[in-house]
Amino acid sequence: MQYSHHFAKNSSIKFIADCHLGKLAKYLRLLGIDTLYFPHIEDDELLRIANDEDRTILTKDRSLSERKKAPVFFLEEKETQAQLKTVIDHYKLKVQPSPFSRCIVCNTPLQIIEKEKVLDRLPEKVKKYFDYFEYCPSCDRIYWRGDHYRHMKAYLDQVLES
Ligand SMILES: [Zn+2]
């Protein structure tokens, strides 16, 4: 089977999502899975990056999936939740050990940072109620486990349990 080697070491699976799969890419990053995404990218460039970086292309474009110039996983599903479920099941990603470890905007692994170091950048309410922070060394975003995190986690739990 074409993808069998990924079952044994799914934590090292890397994806590049086509331009229609931005939401899916975000959720995969939230699960800690290395997923590149560019809103505007030519097919040839997508194929080049996939080959250079040993990434599997996630695509809704059947013609791209039929070119077979790089590992491609074709997604028929229209809804993000269904797409995510399909990818998780196919690559056995349920056992992924590192959720919430990657910047959902730029895909860089997050680092834990002390509250004192980001204090002046936090909204008042966040200062008051949160003590655990992570930040992205690439795009400098600060993450905390607030409402947005909880909503995304609830969504993921729902997908993982379905
Ligand atoms: Zn980032």
Side-chain angles (χ1 to χ4, degrees):
M1 179 172 180
Q2 191 186 354
Y3 294 103
S4 59
H5 63 290
H6 292 142
F7 286 78
K9 47 168 191 168
N10 73 52
S11 61
S12 64
I13 180 87
K14 294 187 290 183
F15 295 112
I16 180 166
D18 82 9
C19 57
H20 306 288
L21 296 171
K23 273 193 186 169
L24 176 65
K26 264 190 185 177
Y27 280 105
L28 287 170
R29 289 169 180 172
L30 198 58
L31 283 170
I33 298 157
D34 185 343
T35 308
L36 290 183
Y37 168 75
F38 305 98
H40 307 285
I41 186 168
E42 299 292 332
D43 284 356
D44 287 339
E45 182 67 359
L46 205 64
L47 289 162
R48 186 192 65 74
I49 295 171
N51 282 310
D52 283 0
E53 301 186 11
D54 192 24
R55 292 177 183 276
T56 297
I57 298 172
L58 299 173
T59 187
K60 286 179 73 179
D61 179 348
R62 194 180 286 279
S63 66
L64 178 65
S65 73
E66 283 166 356
R67 284 173 68 178
K68 302 228 190 317
K69 296 215 168 128
V72 173
F73 188 65
F74 174 67
L75 285 158
E76 249 165 335
E77 295 81 359
K78 286 197 174 69
E79 302 295 330
T80 305
Q81 189 163 340
Q83 293 163 352
L84 189 59
K85 175 83 178 143
T86 299
V87 173
I88 287 169
D89 285 351
H90 185 87
Y91 291 100
K92 303 270 188 271
L93 298 177
K94 277 186 186 187
V95 294
Q96 237 296 328
S98 53
F100 314 114
S101 61
R102 202 168 276 279
C103 180
I104 60 169
V105 177
C106 78
N107 194 45
T108 304
L110 297 179
Q111 296 178 2
I112 297 168
I113 191 163
E114 286 164 40
K115 187 177 183 178
E116 291 69 39
K117 290 185 179 161
V118 291
L119 206 57
D120 57 335
R121 294 172 57 194
L122 301 175
E124 285 306 317
K125 270 192 178 170
V126 173
K127 270 185 210 174
K128 199 169 162 188
Y129 295 114
F130 296 91
D131 290 311
Y132 179 80
F133 297 91
E134 288 170 284
Y135 88 107
C136 172
S138 276
C139 71
D140 207 33
R141 278 183 172 74
I142 301 168
Y143 288 85
W144 60 88
R145 301 191 170 182
D147 287 345
H148 184 60
Y149 167 89
R150 286 214 314 279
H151 292 149
M152 291 186 93
K153 182 166 184 341
Y155 179 96
L156 277 180
D157 287 346
Q158 199 184 325
V159 173
L160 293 172
E161 281 160 19
S162 62

